[in-house]
Amino acid sequence: MRFEVGNLQLFGFDLSALFQRWLRGIRDIMPAGLGAAFLRPAPSVEARVMGQQLDIIQVDATGRRTVVASLGEDALDIALDNSLRADVIRNIKSPSMLQVQLLMPEPQIMRRTLTLPYQARHNLRDIVAYQASRLTPFGVDKLFFDVQLLRENRELGTIEVEFVAVLKTVAQPWVDHLERLTGCTVSCLGVYSNEEGVQPCNLFGQPRVSGQWWRRL
């Protein structure tokens, strides 16, 4: 048996991947909204890329948003490390659970819609990753991406999914700026549009900071 951070293997089997598939299966059979009914939301902060400006927004338990900082590109370069940490964690009782979400604007996002076999629904990310170079001019190693289930057709044995991606060279500098200025790990890389607001996806694939659900029951 071999133990690593984020990786557990037994006799060559990736137990971490098996566990993630088991969790996805549990989510599939749970009624929609059941988790939210039993869990308090994790504290969260949004950071929106607005052209060459970064707006940092604190989100309270009711969903109300308050802008705590707006920095242009010039200010980002000269701002001191951790200079925004006090503003970001203000009024947050459990900073270790803080979900910092960086939101990229829709014009910088690549999207493709795919039809896949129904059996692929538990392993969407791995399956679509093999097709990234066909869906975009870039290899999967050049992208942050997520795959969203749009609809199922059990009669035809198919599902329709959306591949959502952004170039790492576009998003990573903003991730670096945000982590340096706040002293917090960016947990989610999302997408927003002026028409539809924040969209439910994480281009990292999964949260990079634990929401510690056992403390939010």
Side-chain angles (χ1 to χ4, degrees):
M1 181 179 287
R2 179 160 59 95
F3 294 91
E4 296 178 1
V5 177
N7 185 27
L8 175 62
Q9 294 194 356
L10 176 64
F11 304 122
F13 291 98
D14 187 347
L15 298 185
S16 299
L18 291 175
F19 180 67
Q20 290 298 325
R21 292 176 189 173
W22 176 76
L23 283 179
R24 286 194 291 268
I26 293 296
R27 294 190 193 104
D28 283 349
I29 64 175
M30 286 179 63
L34 183 61
F38 288 95
L39 297 177
R40 295 190 302 272
S44 64
V45 166
E46 292 179 359
R48 299 192 181 196
V49 177
M50 311 281 289
Q52 296 303 312
Q53 177 174 304
L54 187 66
D55 287 353
I56 299 178
I57 305 164
Q58 195 173 69
V59 185
D60 66 18
T62 66
R64 184 178 61 184
R65 289 166 167 79
T66 304
V67 177
V68 297
S70 294
L71 296 174
E73 187 175 24
D74 295 340
L76 287 171
D77 291 333
I78 63 175
L80 297 175
D81 294 359
N82 296 325
S83 58
L84 296 180
R85 182 170 179 82
D87 292 329
V88 166
I89 67 172
R90 182 174 55 197
N91 302 323
I92 293 178
K93 296 180 179 179
S94 303
S96 64
M97 291 191 292
L98 180 62
Q99 300 294 300
V100 177
Q101 184 178 27
L102 177 63
L103 301 173
M104 303 300 297
E106 181 65 37
Q108 296 182 349
I109 300 301
M110 295 173 281
R111 296 180 180 273
R112 298 290 186 274
T113 301
L114 304 170
T115 300
L116 298 173
Y118 183 77
Q119 292 79 4
R121 68 191 185 283
H122 294 312
N123 201 23
L124 288 177
R125 187 174 174 84
D126 292 340
I127 290 173
V128 174
Y130 288 115
Q131 305 184 45
S133 59
R134 180 178 65 82
L135 299 171
T136 73
F138 312 99
V140 70
D141 59 317
K142 305 293 185 184
L143 302 169
F144 291 124
F145 74 96
D146 196 9
V147 184
Q148 298 290 300
L149 178 63
L150 299 179
R151 59 189 61 87
E152 299 179 354
N153 191 326
R154 299 195 182 193
E155 294 181 358
L156 296 178
T158 61
I159 56 174
E160 190 172 333
V161 303
E162 185 176 43
F163 171 77
V164 187
V166 65
L167 276 171
K168 289 182 177 180
T169 53
V170 171
Q172 189 63 54
W174 293 105
V175 174
D176 295 341
H177 275 308
L178 186 57
E179 292 186 339
R180 180 178 64 82
L181 296 177
T182 64
C184 301
T185 299
V186 175
S187 181
C188 175
L189 180 61
V191 181
Y192 78 92
S193 69
N194 294 330
E195 294 78 19
E196 300 179 14
V198 180
Q199 300 170 24
C201 63
N202 185 354
L203 306 187
F204 289 144
Q206 61 184 7
R208 302 200 303 177
V209 175
S210 171
Q212 301 181 30
W213 61 268
W214 58 91
R215 295 178 58 186
R216 297 188 287 117
L217 285 171

